[in-house]
Amino acid sequence: MSSAIPDKNAHELDTVLVVDFGAQYAQLIARRVREARVYSEIVPSTMPVAEMLAKNPKAIILSGGPSSVYEEGAPQLDRAIFEAGVPVFGMCYGFQLMAVTLGGTVDNTGAREYGRTPLAVSKPGSTLFEGTPAQQSVWMSHGDACSAAPEGFTVTASTDVVPVAAFENDEKKLYGVQYHPEVLHSDHGQQVLEHFLYRGAGIAPTWTTTNVVDEQVALIREQVGTKRAICGLSGGVDSAVAAALVQKAIGSQLTCVYVDHGLMRKGETEQVEKDFVAATGVQLKVVDAQERFLTALAGVSDPEEKRKIIGREFIRVFEQAQAEIIAEAGASGEPVEFLVQGTLYPDVVESGGGTGTANIKSHHNVGGLPEDLEFQLVEPLRQLFKDEVRMVGQELGLPEEIVQRQPFPGPGLGIRIVGEVTKDRLDLLREADAIAREELTAAGLDREIWQCPVVLLADVRSVGVQGDGRTYGHPIVLRPVSSEDAMTADWSRLPYDVLARISTRITNEVPEVNRVVLDCTSKPPGTIEWE
């Protein structure tokens, strides 16, 4: 199923509100609703119910959370939300809160369920469980347990520990489950969620990519009018898709700036300069600042200092390019008043959901644009998750190499060299990285992993044997990880034959490298990047 950008303001859509009670899965719930082709937004549990209802939601989902409903200071919810006639679906903590608020019983028995748990469905034909097995595996994470449903509710599922693991009230359109249907470990979780949306709430799955580009183009044209806009291209998918949308809307009124800091992977700068321009027709200003960045980084090994230097130099180069564009535009009488950013919905949620245009958010690629840049923001992706952005990129006809590009840090290879950044070391790492990417692509593993950072331990040397002599070369680290949002990650179990080909090629083809090692640390405790 596909998702899309809405063609109107969020309050005009068939919107599902996800009320966040501090759940680690709140964003995942919102994504699963979007996968069902229904638009969703996350709101904090502290938002007054009147404000929630003012958004005219077609349904409300109550997330899980770490608290017990009996804890002092635990999040609460006004009973009015259940009496407003809006369909409500409670999950885990949200389920227990619904039960207690409406007169049911939740016991702090000390009996806990964590992880995969067998669920017995007692009403297989119910609104939530129609067409699902009577016995199914679900993902539990709770201490308290519901022992009695509120009056008017039918108990539709239980476990060995929890007598009321799901209940439903079709008359009032109120539903709840003790487990987490949003996680993949709940075998029929997405089906149960869709049953709530389609059957319980009566929402049609109409939020699709059909006409999405035309819809956003109209909104951008309305916002920008005849004025000019600039966009900083990083080479990543977010800025590329945002720029492509805006360019389609206002054409030559947009100028993109690409700062070539010399820290990109092999072939990526050429992709931006040639493939992206060819696919979009965008007006691109390329600034070759490689020597400037290398000079600034000379002698620096501390990772935080490297990040600051790269961020600072990017700002200075971007400001210079921006001033040149404004000067050129001034001669034609077309003021540059807008800055395009690839802000995504997780950025909005994690920054508190602000919608103002006075401040520019920290640049997700380079460590911060100046807060006093006086532009209005154009953020055509701010209601989308990463997977939805990729879909829009495909709709726009962007090259597959850009649309499906794995996440890459703005400081680039500068923070994948443990030690001082030099041209020779960058060239060495570029070759090793290119080999790893080639072999992962050849094995069809590009979509199986989140990303695979390749790290050069420039300040470390190890003894090796190549030909008939001893070597004293650098180790290369492979860091393949699997993740949905980069908040947590697990190391990817790549096939041994693929790892062997990568290792053999790197040690044979890349001078000064005589050892390849695999990083098999999850996040936490390790981070995805080494620096």
Side-chain angles (χ1 to χ4, degrees):
M1 294 186 180
S2 62
S3 302
I5 308 172
D7 62 346
K8 43 194 172 181
N9 292 330
H11 69 273
E12 298 178 60
L13 295 165
D14 286 345
T15 300
V16 172
L17 295 184
V18 178
V19 182
D20 183 5
F21 288 97
Q24 59 177 320
Y25 296 132
Q27 285 194 31
L28 183 56
I29 296 171
R31 287 181 57 189
R32 295 292 184 243
V33 173
R34 304 246 188 126
E35 288 174 12
R37 295 186 293 163
V38 175
Y39 180 67
S40 62
E41 285 185 10
I42 301 171
V43 296
S45 61
T46 53
M47 176 181 284
V49 169
E51 286 187 30
M52 295 183 194
L53 298 178
K55 291 177 173 287
N56 193 29
K58 296 298 181 182
I60 294 173
I61 295 176
L62 310 179
S63 83
S67 302
S68 163
V69 292
Y70 295 117
E71 281 180 19
E72 184 177 350
Q76 300 297 313
L77 199 60
D78 192 328
R79 183 186 177 99
I81 201 169
F82 304 114
E83 299 171 344
V86 178
V88 180
F89 185 24
M91 300 177 179
C92 197
Y93 181 82
F95 164 76
Q96 295 177 359
L97 192 57
M98 180 189 293
V100 169
T101 303
L102 296 177
T105 304
V106 174
D107 300 313
N108 191 344
T109 61
R112 301 172 180 271
E113 286 181 317
Y114 293 106
R116 289 188 183 274
T117 305
L119 181 79
V121 177
S122 53
K123 300 287 184 181
S126 74
T127 296
L128 294 183
F129 294 105
E130 171 73 31
T132 69
Q135 300 290 327
Q136 50 190 277
S137 179
V138 299
W139 190 259
M140 290 283 192
S141 180
H142 68 94
D144 298 345
C146 183
S147 58
E151 185 177 350
F153 283 74
T154 300
V155 177
T156 54
S158 62
T159 72
D160 291 342
V161 173
V162 180
V164 182
F167 54 45
E168 307 180 30
N169 186 327
D170 285 319
E171 181 182 353
K172 294 185 177 180
K173 298 188 179 301
L174 302 177
Y175 306 88
V177 296
Q178 176 60 70
Y179 61 94
H180 289 277
E182 72 275 21
V183 303
L184 296 176
H185 304 299
S186 293
D187 292 344
H188 300 277
Q190 184 67 13
Q191 190 175 354
V192 168
L193 175 59
E194 291 178 2
H195 280 170
F196 165 71
L197 297 171
Y198 306 155
R199 293 156 57 86
I203 302 173
T206 57
W207 205 57
T208 72
T209 51
T210 305
N211 298 321
V212 58
V213 174
D214 291 341
E215 294 161 357
Q216 270 301 294
V217 162
L219 291 173
I220 294 165
R221 284 175 178 164
E222 180 181 352
Q223 180 185 8
V224 178
T226 61
K227 296 183 174 66
R228 298 280 305 275
I230 61 173
C231 176
L233 279 180
S234 68
V237 62
D238 301 340
S239 65
V241 173
L245 268 173
V246 175
Q247 193 279 334
K248 189 172 181 66
I250 62 173
S252 60
Q253 293 167 240
L254 172 70
T255 301
C256 290
V257 176
Y258 176 73
V259 177
D260 182 3
H261 48 31
L263 306 173
M264 296 296 284
R265 294 179 292 188
K266 188 176 182 179
E268 289 184 327
T269 293
E270 290 76 14
Q271 280 183 352
V272 174
E273 292 184 273
K274 298 177 183 177
D275 298 347
F276 181 73
V277 173
T280 63
V282 76
Q283 182 175 315
L284 179 65
K285 182 181 184 69
V286 178
V287 182
D288 185 351
Q290 296 183 56
E291 288 301 322
R292 175 173 184 157
F293 278 80
L294 281 173
T295 299
L297 289 167
V300 179
S301 296
D302 179 76
E304 283 306 307
E305 186 64 22
K306 285 193 286 186
R307 286 180 180 273
K308 290 177 182 177
I309 289 171
I310 294 168
R312 181 193 70 212
E313 294 303 314
F314 178 91
I315 290 169
R316 290 175 178 171
V317 174
F318 187 88
E319 283 182 319
Q320 182 178 339
Q322 160 228 328
E324 293 171 1
I325 294 168
I326 290 175
E328 294 166 4
S332 63
E334 299 173 341
V336 180
E337 294 188 6
F338 295 90
L339 176 67
V340 179
Q341 288 205 154
T343 308
L344 304 191
Y345 191 54
D347 300 326
V348 175
V349 173
E350 290 164 10
S351 65
T355 57
T357 58
N359 293 323
I360 295 172
K361 75 179 182 71
S362 292
H363 195 286
H364 67 285
N365 288 304
V366 293
L369 290 177
E371 294 185 0
D372 58 353
L373 283 181
E374 295 180 356
F375 292 109
Q376 294 183 60
L377 297 185
V378 179
E379 299 177 303
L381 311 179
R382 66 179 286 114
Q383 292 172 316
L384 299 183
F385 289 100
K386 176 74 81 172
D387 51 347
E388 295 169 323
V389 172
R390 296 190 196 281
M391 293 175 196
V392 173
Q394 291 172 333
E395 183 85 9
L396 289 165
L398 293 182
E400 188 80 358
E401 294 80 7
I402 291 179
V403 172
Q404 296 301 333
R405 175 165 293 166
Q406 294 178 357
F408 186 61
L413 300 181
I415 59 167
R416 290 185 178 174
I417 294 175
V418 179
E420 181 185 3
V421 178
T422 67
K423 186 179 185 306
D424 289 344
R425 289 175 173 183
L426 284 167
D427 291 341
L428 184 157
L429 180 54
R430 254 189 284 272
E431 291 303 318
D433 176 89
I435 290 170
R437 287 190 290 144
E438 286 172 12
E439 291 299 335
L440 290 172
T441 299
L445 295 171
D446 284 346
R447 308 278 184 95
E448 299 297 318
I449 61 174
W450 173 264
Q451 62 183 127
C452 183
V454 177
V455 181
L456 170 64
L457 302 184
D459 286 346
V460 176
R461 288 184 178 270
S462 66
V463 175
V465 178
Q466 288 174 304
D468 294 323
R470 287 163 58 89
T471 61
Y472 197 48
H474 298 290
I476 284 284
V477 181
L478 305 179
R479 176 71 167 130
V481 294
S482 300
S483 179
E484 284 197 335
D485 54 14
M487 299 299 291
T488 60
D490 192 14
W491 67 281
S492 301
R493 276 67 166 173
L494 298 181
Y496 290 154
D497 59 333
V498 175
L499 291 171
R501 284 197 299 272
I502 294 173
S503 177
T504 299
R505 285 195 58 193
I506 289 177
T507 53
N508 284 346
E509 299 174 29
V510 182
E512 295 189 47
V513 174
N514 63 359
R515 192 179 300 271
V516 175
V517 299
L518 175 67
D519 182 347
C520 56
T521 312
S522 296
K523 176 187 178 181
T527 55
I528 292 178
E529 299 291 345
W530 272 51
E531 292 199 339

